[in-house]
Each structure stands twice: as structure tokens, then as C-alpha cells.
Amino acid sequence: MNRLCSLILLSSYAATTVSSTTIAEIQGPAFRSPLVGQTVHNVTGLVTAKGPSGFYIAEQRVPDIRISNGLSIFTTSTAVLNQVTVGDVISLSGIVAEFRSSTAPNDLFLTEINSPSSIVVLSSNNNVTPLVLGKDRSPPTQQLSSLDVGPDGFLSAPNNISRVETVNATLQPEKYGLDFWESLEGQLVTIPQPVAINFENSFGEFWVYGAWPVTGKNNRGGLSITFGPDGIPDANPETIIIGTPLDKTKNPKVAVGFGLTDITGVVTYQFGFFYVLPLTAPSVVSMPSPVVPPTTLTTSNDECVLTFGDYNVENMAPNSAHLPTVASHIAVHLRTPDLMFVQEIQDNSGPTDDGTVIANVTLTNLVNAIAKASNVTYSFIEIAPVDGQDGGQPGGNIRQAYLYRPEKLNLVPGSPVGTALDKTEITGPPGKPILSFNPGRIEPASGAWNASRKPLVAAWQTALGHQVFTVNLHLASKGGSSSTQGDARPPVNSPLDARTSQVKLVADFVGTILAKDINANIIVAGDFNEYLQTRSVYEPLTALLTDIDEVAGIPPVERYSYVFDQNSEQLDHAFISDVIKTRGAEFEHIHVNNWSPTFTARVSDHDPSVGRILVC
């Protein structure tokens, strides 16, 4: 689509003509220009950068930090672009516009001049001096927007109750991240000593922070989602995406913790986020060690000691290329825990949509590969879903499964194995809860699980009869969520209502176990697809169980299993009952995937974890 056809002007073109206008007057102190739709003349500025879609000009900074002194001049005309050179001081005329693509209604608007004309070069070969971030200005470190109201900040519910561009608030760049980057829109900036905090995307773009104050910094150099000192989740607004270089050089491949040469470029907004478009590509100058140490939490001959692992193995089919590597992770890095919670096991035909639902071949191949790497042979259990009803890759019928070491524990006998539609319930006398189906599923007919995985529940016992209940989760994915730097505030967290309902059903089930036996050993673990900082989702569950990271004393900045956009974040969790908490528990996140030196070296987008508890 022609970009100009997508242009959205926020006022009529029945334009007022302004005889002479400054960049500061065009930018103004709010998100939208006060002069949008007007034709302006004699706009004067220094050309700071050029690219294939226009150039950027700047004037002397004004004392008001809310107002950017830079401005984007949009044009794809070679004739126009050839009229200006970086270092020229020019004057021009044009139409003030606020642009966002018609295909991205949740983007913020970008202030620019369209149809530039009457360009006059007033002088050439002038010095171009960028604003140095961390020296001249530093971004705030916790909140994104004043519109993210609620106790959970940018994660508060309900979502999308206001819009940045509708409110058009006066900027508060010293407090809010969106306001800070908006106040630099169109300006040339330098990011000193940038550190990458994610892998590059398919366009070669990646997130960084520079030599300025940051919060949530983990020992790898990434920024983790944590709670701020006021109890509000920290959104890490001090980060920025490095986009495609304006000189068409190619950005390097990066990973979390990679150090880079200084980056100088212009601040813009596109594709749902604020960017810096570098004048030229930076280079990698340092990288952390790719060595991932194995867990220290090993299995034991002591019957009271139980080790368990959790791993989302990302669309594993019988012939998946990453299956041997995952098996090696379980054998070498996780040290073959007594019990494995696994998610995203595909059926025996993988993504082929042929009606197959059982995954015994997939699980057998995984178990055999682990045995080859470790001489430990697991048994496994699964419940095959109804074809096409549990979401995930079409045809794959992903499900949760357990791998277990039969020399250490087995299913409690006496109950039948459930099917996809069987609802397992708690029966038995007081003090002795029994699953009506073992393994079984929690409320599989509930609408809360539409196109989502139903929890896999099992009751286990050791040789001496010590019992443990486990719930293996893979809640509804975040597909359909909006950009954290978009127009909707708080950002859309999709499907928040579904995950909230799913957690409530799990909590109700756990409550029925505890009602029978307050001292029951219970572990609820898996891929929750939600941060613990979204407290509204977890309230029913955290009223009954405790996050094992908390019990194990893992520093909040080291609680992550996933890296996405600017954040190291935790989607995979384990919760334990009070009786296990009282005895003490250990837990470790094993970053075999998110510490990979390249994106392609990862075999899953999740990191596994290992826990060790006492069951007697």
C-alpha cells in the first residue's frame, strides 16, 4: 500500500497557512502536534540524518524537556532527497501530519512533515552533535504511561480502558517511558555502551539499554520483569529497539548480554514501538560465556527426596530435529529428575492434520533419546486430547505429559485412567484424597479451556507409600496481545479473562484436595503463559500455594524462563503446598535456550527448571 494512502491526519486539511514555524511549535509538549494538518513555511533546521524514506532536521534545544527539537521529513522523492546533505542548515515548507499505518490501529502516531517543498540550503558542513543518552538525558526506569492505572501498572486489568492518542496528555518524560521517548521523537541521539537484551528478530532488529541507570538487571545482562519499590510491576521502559541502519549496513547477530559499539541514530516510532534507527550498524565487542552449568539439584536414593523438572519442549513431534537436544538437556543439564512435567508434546503425526491424537511414539522417541544420553529410562503418561480442541500448531494436538522414573515413584493404583472428556474429582475419606481418574483432567468440558490445553493431574506414590499430587499446566497463550508501547492502555493482555478463569478452576481443584488433607503434598507446575506480576490472575492460586522461587530464595531478577521484546520474564512456574514449603524447597532455572549465543541455537523458546523437595 502507498504510505501516503495510509496517512491519518487528525484534523482537516482545510489548512491554515503559517508564515514561519519552529520545530518546537510543531512538536509541542504532548503526544500529538498542535499544528497537525496545517501547512507551515520557513521551518528551519540542521539536517542530522538521511534515509530511504526521508531525512531528519533539528533546531537548538529548548529548555522544556517535553518538547523534541527533532523532526522527521517524509519523502521518497530522489529529487528532494538529493537537495539536502547531512550538515546542511535548511528551510522548507510542508504539511504537518501524524502518521500511523491504517493496518496498525494500535500504533502511536509519528509527527512528521509531508510534501516538503521550497527547500533552501542556508549553509553547509555544519557540525552535527547528537544528544547523548545517559549524559544529557536518561530514561525513567519503571512505568510506561500515566494511563496504566491499577495496582499492577502496565499489567493491570481490565485492559485497553484508555488510549494515548485520544487523551493526548502533556508529556511527563522524567516519569514515564512512552513520554520520554516521545519527547525525543525525530532527534539524533547516541546510546553509549549498548547491551543487547534479546535475540535479533527476522529483520535484524534488537532491544538494548545503554550506559544509564536500569532496573531489573540480571546476571546475564538482561532486564527482568520485577516489582518496583512501590509494589507496581517494573515495565523496563529504559530500553529501545535498534532498527535497520539508515545507510543500509547490516546489524550484527546478538543475544542477551552482548555488548556493542556506541550507536548513534534517530528516534522514531514504528511497528508498535519506539526505535532508534542507527546511522550505521554497530559491532559486537563482548559476549557472555555460552556455557550453561547443569543443575546442582540431583536425585537421591532417599525416598523422602523428590526432584522434578519442568520443560516446554516447543512443538515436539516424533521426528523433530530438536528432540535429541532436548533429551540431552534433560539428561545432562537437568540430571534426569525423578519426575518431568513437559508441555507441547505433539501427536504421532506431528503437524500433519490427519486425525491422529495419541503421542506414544513421540514420547517413546524422547524417552529412548534420554536413555541413550543418560542410561536412565523413563516411563511416561499422557491423555490424548480431542482432535483439534486444545490449540497450538494446527494438526499437532499439543498436550502435557509426565516422564517419571519408576524406580522412584509410580501412579497411585486403584483409579482408572481418564480420557480427554473425563473429569477427575477428589474422592476418599478425610485425610486420604483419591483421584477418581488417575491420571485425569480438570473440568475438561468447561468453556475456560476452549482451544486450550486441559490440566493433566496425577497422584503418585513412592515405594513406602508417600503420596504427591501434581498438576501439569499449559494455559492459554498470549497470542493477540498488543504492544507494550502501543495506544491501548493498559496494553491488551490476551486472553486475560481465559487465563484468569483457568487459574480459578485449578485453584478450586487444589482446594478440594486440601479440604480432604491439609497436609497433602501438591505441586502445580508448567507453562502458565503469564507473569506472577499480573497478580489478578494468580490470586485464587496464591491463596493456597506458594511460588517455589520464593521458597527457594531465588533473587527476583533471576526469576525468568523466557525472553521477549525488552524483558527477561517468567512464564513457567511451580507452586507448592504449605507442607512442602515448611520442609523447605530448592529450585533452579537452567537457561539452556535463552543463554544461547544465537537465536538459531535455541531448541525451545522456554528454559527448563529443576526443583527438589521433601515429600516426607
Side-chain angles (χ1 to χ4, degrees):
M1 178 181 291
N2 184 293
R3 183 177 185 276
L4 292 178
C5 293
S6 298
L7 189 67
I8 300 175
L9 291 180
L10 300 180
S11 65
S12 169
Y13 273 112
T16 304
T17 299
V18 180
S19 58
S20 183
T21 311
T22 65
I23 292 173
E25 289 170 334
I26 293 170
Q27 287 285 13
F31 280 89
R32 295 202 311 263
S33 170
L35 302 182
V36 63
Q38 297 189 14
T39 298
V40 292
H41 296 285
N42 299 321
V43 179
T44 302
L46 171 68
V47 178
T48 58
K50 286 178 64 175
S53 298
F55 56 96
Y56 299 84
I57 61 174
E59 63 186 8
Q60 287 293 112
R61 298 175 199 156
V62 297
D64 190 342
I65 62 170
R66 301 173 300 177
I67 299 175
S68 175
N69 71 302
L71 186 62
S72 171
I73 312 298
F74 173 74
T75 181
T76 56
S77 166
T78 302
V80 173
L81 288 170
N82 286 342
Q83 292 182 57
V84 302
T85 301
V86 172
D88 289 348
V89 173
I90 66 170
S91 66
L92 57 78
S93 299
I95 300 170
V96 179
E98 294 284 3
F99 170 79
R100 72 175 169 199
S101 171
S102 59
T103 62
N106 193 55
D107 281 7
L108 300 181
F109 287 103
L110 173 67
T111 304
E112 62 186 19
I113 294 277
N114 283 337
S115 304
S117 62
S118 305
I119 295 174
V120 177
V121 176
L122 303 176
S123 65
S124 298
N125 300 316
N126 296 284
N127 290 330
V128 178
T129 304
L131 180 146
V132 180
L133 298 178
K135 177 184 176 183
D136 301 321
R137 296 275 301 278
S138 292
T141 60
Q142 183 179 3
Q143 298 184 68
L144 285 165
S145 171
S146 62
L147 303 180
D148 293 341
V149 296
D152 292 341
F154 79 112
L155 299 174
S156 292
N159 306 153
N160 194 18
I161 60 174
S162 60
R163 310 283 289 186
V164 171
E165 299 294 359
T166 300
V167 175
N168 193 31
T170 299
L171 302 180
Q172 300 180 65
E174 73 289 348
K175 188 171 183 180
Y176 300 109
L178 297 187
D179 302 47
F180 175 81
W181 296 111
E182 177 71 21
S183 76
L184 297 178
E185 181 186 67
Q187 285 190 224
L188 186 72
V189 301
T190 291
I191 301 172
Q193 302 171 45
V195 177
I197 51 178
N198 201 340
F199 301 96
E200 76 283 353
N201 64 20
S202 59
F203 300 100
E205 304 165 345
F206 55 92
W207 288 85
V208 302
Y209 60 82
W212 54 74
V214 299
T215 53
K217 185 177 178 180
N218 56 53
N219 65 12
R220 191 67 172 180
L223 300 188
S224 300
I225 295 179
T226 56
F227 286 108
D230 55 3
I232 296 175
D234 187 333
N236 295 322
E238 63 268 37
T239 58
I240 191 77
I241 305 180
I242 304 305
T244 302
L246 292 172
D247 67 353
K248 299 183 181 180
T249 53
K250 189 175 181 180
N251 281 332
K253 294 183 181 299
V254 299
V256 177
F258 278 38
L260 300 127
T261 54
D262 292 357
I263 298 171
T264 296
V266 289
V267 178
T268 191
Y269 187 93
Q270 57 186 12
F271 311 126
F273 296 98
F274 285 99
Y275 278 68
V276 165
L277 303 181
L279 302 181
T280 193
S283 300
V284 172
V285 295
S286 65
M287 61 184 69
S289 170
V291 176
V292 180
T295 182
T296 64
L297 306 180
T298 55
T299 188
S300 168
N301 291 327
D302 186 338
E303 181 156 325
C304 286
V305 177
L306 179 72
T307 58
F308 70 93
D310 175 57
Y311 202 168
N312 180 320
V313 296
E314 193 172 4
N315 287 321
M316 179 171 287
N319 57 352
S320 290
H322 70 296
L323 187 150
T325 306
V326 168
S328 176
H329 289 167
I330 294 172
V332 176
H333 287 86
L334 308 190
R335 292 184 170 176
T336 54
D338 301 319
L339 178 65
M340 281 294 306
F341 296 66
V342 291
Q343 302 90 40
E344 293 204 20
I345 294 292
Q346 291 193 344
D347 63 42
N348 291 342
S349 65
T352 302
D353 193 1
D354 59 2
T356 301
V357 291
I358 195 168
N360 62 323
V361 175
T362 307
L363 289 163
T364 297
N365 289 355
L366 177 59
V367 164
N368 288 343
I370 296 170
K372 183 178 179 180
S374 67
N375 292 320
V376 171
T377 301
Y378 281 101
S379 297
F380 62 82
I381 61 171
E382 63 156 335
I383 294 179
V386 175
D387 188 31
Q389 295 302 300
D390 280 19
Q393 186 177 20
N397 288 311
I398 57 173
R399 85 290 312 276
Q400 303 93 284
Y402 292 107
L403 312 181
Y404 64 98
R405 298 179 63 162
E407 70 272 20
K408 191 65 178 284
L409 76 169
N410 282 279
L411 290 172
V412 174
S415 300
V417 174
T419 67
L421 299 178
D422 288 327
K423 169 186 173 182
T424 192
E425 297 179 302
I426 299 301
T427 63
K432 190 174 176 58
I434 298 172
L435 290 181
S436 60
F437 293 98
N438 187 25
R441 297 176 119 194
I442 295 176
E443 300 285 355
S446 170
W449 306 110
N450 286 346
S452 183
R453 282 65 54 189
K454 289 70 176 172
L456 181 62
V457 183
W460 308 89
Q461 68 178 21
T462 66
L464 296 180
H466 301 294
Q467 294 193 2
V468 185
F469 290 91
T470 60
V471 184
N472 189 347
L473 297 185
H474 186 189
L475 303 186
S477 77
K478 285 184 173 288
S481 297
S482 69
S483 156
T484 56
Q485 294 185 0
D487 202 3
R489 313 308 310 178
V492 175
N493 183 1
S494 178
L496 184 67
D497 290 345
R499 282 192 295 277
T500 302
S501 298
Q502 291 169 359
V503 169
K504 178 64 165 58
L505 289 175
V506 172
D508 288 346
F509 183 82
V510 168
T512 63
I513 300 175
L514 294 172
K516 287 281 186 184
D517 182 5
I518 192 64
N519 292 315
N521 293 308
I522 304 172
I523 308 170
V524 177
D527 178 3
F528 286 69
N529 271 313
E530 191 56 82
Y531 325 122
L532 285 179
Q533 290 80 9
T534 312
R535 287 171 287 202
S536 61
V537 172
Y538 288 95
E539 285 173 353
L541 193 60
T542 53
L544 301 172
L545 305 177
T546 303
D547 173 24
I548 197 171
D549 284 86
E550 192 71 29
V551 179
I554 296 177
V557 295
E558 304 303 337
R559 300 177 191 177
Y560 64 94
S561 61
Y562 198 87
V563 177
F564 184 73
D565 287 341
Q566 69 269 52
N567 296 313
S568 296
E569 55 199 40
Q570 190 176 3
L571 299 179
D572 308 88
H573 308 282
F575 293 87
I576 54 177
S577 55
D578 284 349
V579 68
I580 299 176
K581 172 185 173 183
T582 300
R583 299 184 192 118
E586 300 166 279
F587 199 61
E588 294 178 353
H589 298 284
I590 312 301
H591 301 296
V592 289
N593 293 311
N594 289 309
W595 284 9
S596 295
T598 64
F599 177 82
T600 54
R602 300 193 310 170
V603 297
S604 172
D605 46 0
H606 294 254
D607 284 326
S609 302
V610 179
R612 187 164 61 191
I613 63 171
L614 298 175
V615 298
C616 52

